[in-house]
Amino acid sequence: MDFSAPNCYTFPIVLKSCLKCNALREGEEVHCVVIKSGFKGNPFVGTTLIEMYSGWRLIGAAYRVFNEMVDRNIVAWTAMINGFILRQDLIKARCLFDLAPERDIVLWNTMVSGYIEVGDMVEARKLFDQMPKKDVMSWNTILQGYAINGDVEACEGLFEEIPERNVFSWNGLIGGYARNGFFLEVLDAFKRMLVDGDVLPNDATLVTVLSSCARLGALDLGKWVHIYAENNGYKGNVYVGNALIDLYAKCGMIKNAVDVFKSMSKKDLISWNTIIGGLAMHGRGADALDLFSQMKNGGVVPDGITFIGVLCACTHMGLVEDGLAHFQSMVDEYSIEPQIEHYGCMVDLLARAGLLPQALDFVRKMPMEADAVIWAALLGACRVYKNVDVAELALEQLSKLEPKNPANFVMLANIYGDLGRWKDAARLKVAMRDTGYKKVPGCSLIEVNDSVVEFYSLDERRPETKEIYGALRGLTKLCRSYGYVPPDLQELGHVSSG
């Protein structure tokens, strides 16, 4: 017996390596050796060949291997069905699934996942309901499907049906809320998870909760999660650390964000990007650029997101030449193709520096159409520098991109007002009224008794309305007693509390 010859355990390892290295030619050569060595009928080797060809989307080659296999076990059937799913050919995948001589829980879950991936939750649920035995992974698969496809109500309903939940069940619900913008519900579900106490959160749970706290400005709860994470073994977790940096930066606690960053023994690219972006957002451009230099000196290669933070830092500091140099280095040094966000940063940099003609020229030379964010940046700078010509052009473009946004009309009307062109300002206000749309009222989020509460301007929806406006009138009187009446309170102080 030749112990140096490859066997049924050798070939799968080599074939999987070919797939990971995208070595198509070498993979085909190994396939030839498999045939010559007499392992063509081995189910272990055959299954790996199916997976290799499926991974390269060579479904014809994968199916030939499948057909040539004499002993096709359930693993081979699952691999072939998954190959068709990778090609999003659910018809052939389902035909094979129906022909499979036996079906285990993995095969059932694979087919259900296939329907989920193409967004067919009706068929996914039908198949799920037909499953003779369901394990917790089966329930989590369909739960995740509803979350991915935006059906939060169905996700909630299914979660209540799960007979035995694990951390992935909770993460499916919490992640589903976060994915679809229900950040208050994220916090409620997390609190319920802690109260139930049957399942402990993991790092993925904490990251989702911290991200939701950042979006809502729920700083107190975020701080509590920070302490919880440190007390439960996640102090050195890079994912939790990154989420904490993001939380503190977005909630205005940039010193805390820097402290978390410095305390991290391991940092990845996201760590650097988050702290650089946070510093830039808080006007600490010099610190952001200094960290960018440290990052490069440490051998960390920046990506496109890094440069958004760097360009924002240059914008806040008015470093036009440096910004242009960094923008050019993206392409020259790192082969990063600038996206519209990078072009937007450059337009904002030039516009804020008062170089409106150059900013407009930059917009015209962009390889893509400018979006509403870019034109709004130009319009905002026009008010500072009283440039009516560019402002009128910006509003013309914004009217096409955001016809339902009256705030753009207000901006130009204010520019006219600043210049004493009252007739033009009045004309714009009439045009704004004729659109039939109203400016969305401002919304504030505050933490009260461990909960986040929304308040809109002139909000009378809450049962505590009488007490709220009573306290507001008291504050208004207090302001007046000191000789100051805030303009925003003059109208609110006369709002009926009924």
Side-chain angles (χ1 to χ4, degrees):
M1 183 175 180
D2 185 3
F3 290 99
S4 64
N7 58 29
C8 63
Y9 301 105
T10 312
F11 286 116
I13 296 172
V14 178
L15 291 168
K16 287 178 181 178
S17 299
C18 290
L19 176 60
K20 288 184 178 180
C21 297
N22 200 27
L24 173 58
R25 181 177 175 181
E26 289 79 0
E28 291 174 332
E29 290 173 349
V30 175
H31 188 179
C32 292
V33 177
V34 166
I35 296 171
K36 291 177 181 178
S37 302
F39 289 96
K40 179 180 177 181
N42 185 281
F44 193 30
V45 177
T47 299
T48 311
L49 282 166
I50 293 171
E51 291 172 346
M52 181 184 75
Y53 285 122
S54 297
W56 287 323
R57 305 299 191 267
L58 298 173
I59 199 67
Y63 194 59
R64 280 194 297 273
V65 173
F66 179 75
N67 275 333
E68 291 170 359
M69 292 174 67
V70 178
D71 183 15
R72 293 184 295 212
N73 59 22
I74 193 169
V75 181
W77 281 87
T78 303
M80 191 64 249
I81 289 169
N82 190 57
F84 283 116
I85 290 172
L86 289 172
R87 285 287 301 271
Q88 296 195 335
D89 190 343
L90 271 294
I91 295 175
K92 290 181 180 176
R94 183 59 186 268
C95 285
L96 271 186
F97 176 81
D98 292 336
L99 290 170
E102 59 175 323
R103 303 175 196 139
D104 63 2
I105 196 74
V106 176
L107 182 53
W108 278 95
N109 287 337
T110 299
M111 195 66 235
V112 170
S113 297
Y115 284 119
I116 290 171
E117 286 174 20
V118 298
D120 190 351
M121 286 306 300
V122 173
E123 202 59 41
R125 184 60 192 261
K126 280 184 185 178
L127 198 61
F128 173 78
D129 290 337
Q130 293 171 19
M131 290 177 67
K133 293 181 180 179
K134 302 180 182 72
D135 62 2
V136 67
M137 188 175 85
S138 309
W139 286 94
N140 291 345
T141 298
I142 199 76
L143 180 77
Q144 188 73 16
Y146 283 127
I148 291 171
N149 287 283
D151 194 340
V152 175
E153 187 176 344
C155 185
E156 291 174 324
L158 189 81
F159 180 81
E160 300 302 331
E161 295 180 40
I162 298 177
E164 185 178 350
R165 304 178 186 120
N166 62 13
V167 69
F168 301 104
S169 311
W170 283 98
N171 287 351
L173 176 68
I174 291 171
Y177 283 137
R179 179 188 291 270
N180 294 282
F182 292 85
F183 301 113
L184 289 170
E185 285 77 4
V186 168
L187 305 190
D188 290 338
F190 177 63
K191 292 173 186 175
R192 178 184 167 188
M193 181 183 187
L194 294 176
V195 170
D196 284 2
D198 296 330
V199 179
L200 293 175
N202 62 9
D203 56 351
T205 321
L206 299 176
V207 167
T208 304
V209 172
L210 287 168
S211 298
S212 299
C213 288
R215 295 290 294 269
L216 293 169
L219 181 59
D220 289 342
L221 180 59
K223 287 180 176 179
W224 185 90
V225 175
H226 186 177
I227 296 170
Y228 177 91
E230 290 191 342
N231 291 339
N232 287 272
Y234 294 104
K235 186 173 184 179
N237 187 288
V238 67
Y239 307 110
V240 174
N242 293 344
L244 284 168
I245 296 170
D246 183 57
L247 165 75
Y248 286 126
K250 286 181 177 173
C251 290
M253 306 286 288
I254 193 62
K255 183 182 182 302
N256 295 47
V258 172
D259 290 341
V260 171
F261 177 80
K262 288 181 177 179
S263 70
M264 293 171 65
S265 56
K266 293 183 180 179
K267 303 178 180 71
D268 61 8
L269 180 59
I270 297 173
S271 313
W272 289 96
N273 287 350
T274 307
I275 192 63
I276 288 172
L279 287 166
M281 180 175 64
H282 283 80
R284 291 176 56 174
D287 293 331
L289 296 178
D290 181 56
L291 272 182
F292 180 55
S293 297
Q294 292 181 36
M295 173 185 173
K296 292 189 294 182
N297 292 336
V300 181
V301 180
D303 64 359
I305 296 174
T306 317
F307 278 98
I308 291 175
V310 170
L311 294 175
C312 284
C314 293
T315 298
H316 287 295
M317 296 179 69
L319 302 175
V320 176
E321 295 301 324
D322 288 353
L324 289 168
H326 285 304
F327 183 82
Q328 193 60 43
S329 74
M330 285 176 56
V331 181
D332 296 343
E333 294 183 39
Y334 300 101
S335 301
I336 299 172
E337 183 178 352
Q339 302 300 309
I340 194 165
E341 294 84 3
H342 302 104
Y343 287 104
C345 288
M346 290 306 302
V347 172
D348 193 28
L349 170 62
L350 293 167
R352 286 182 184 233
L355 304 173
L356 289 168
Q358 292 91 322
L360 188 58
D361 185 58
F362 199 91
V363 169
R364 287 170 174 159
K365 291 180 179 177
M366 285 168 49
M368 72 280 289
E369 291 293 324
D371 62 7
V373 175
I374 291 176
W375 287 112
L378 272 174
L379 184 57
C382 287
R383 182 173 187 188
V384 176
Y385 295 102
K386 307 294 188 293
N387 190 317
V388 175
D389 293 336
V390 176
E392 290 174 339
L393 176 60
L395 180 62
E396 180 184 344
Q397 297 299 320
L398 285 167
S399 298
K400 298 174 185 176
L401 296 168
E402 295 182 333
K404 300 179 181 180
N405 187 357
N408 298 321
F409 290 91
V410 173
M411 182 67 74
L412 183 53
N414 288 336
I415 295 173
Y416 285 139
D418 292 341
L419 296 172
R421 293 172 56 172
W422 305 113
K423 289 184 179 180
D424 289 325
R427 173 178 54 80
L428 264 189
K429 289 182 179 179
V430 171
M432 179 184 70
R433 185 185 61 202
D434 290 344
T435 64
Y437 297 100
K438 292 183 178 180
K439 186 177 181 296
V440 178
C443 175
S444 297
L445 297 169
I446 63 170
E447 286 182 278
V448 180
N449 297 327
D450 295 328
S451 296
V452 179
V453 184
E454 284 185 332
F455 284 97
Y456 287 90
S457 177
L458 303 178
D459 195 346
E460 296 188 6
R461 300 170 301 160
R462 304 193 173 280
E464 305 91 347
T465 295
K466 186 174 181 180
E467 291 82 357
I468 292 170
Y469 282 115
L472 188 57
R473 283 194 297 274
L475 290 171
T476 305
K477 290 178 181 177
L478 186 62
C479 289
R480 285 173 177 159
S481 69
Y482 285 93
Y484 175 69
V485 182
D488 293 339
L489 294 182
Q490 288 178 352
E491 182 180 1
L492 291 176
H494 294 87
V495 173
S496 169
S497 60

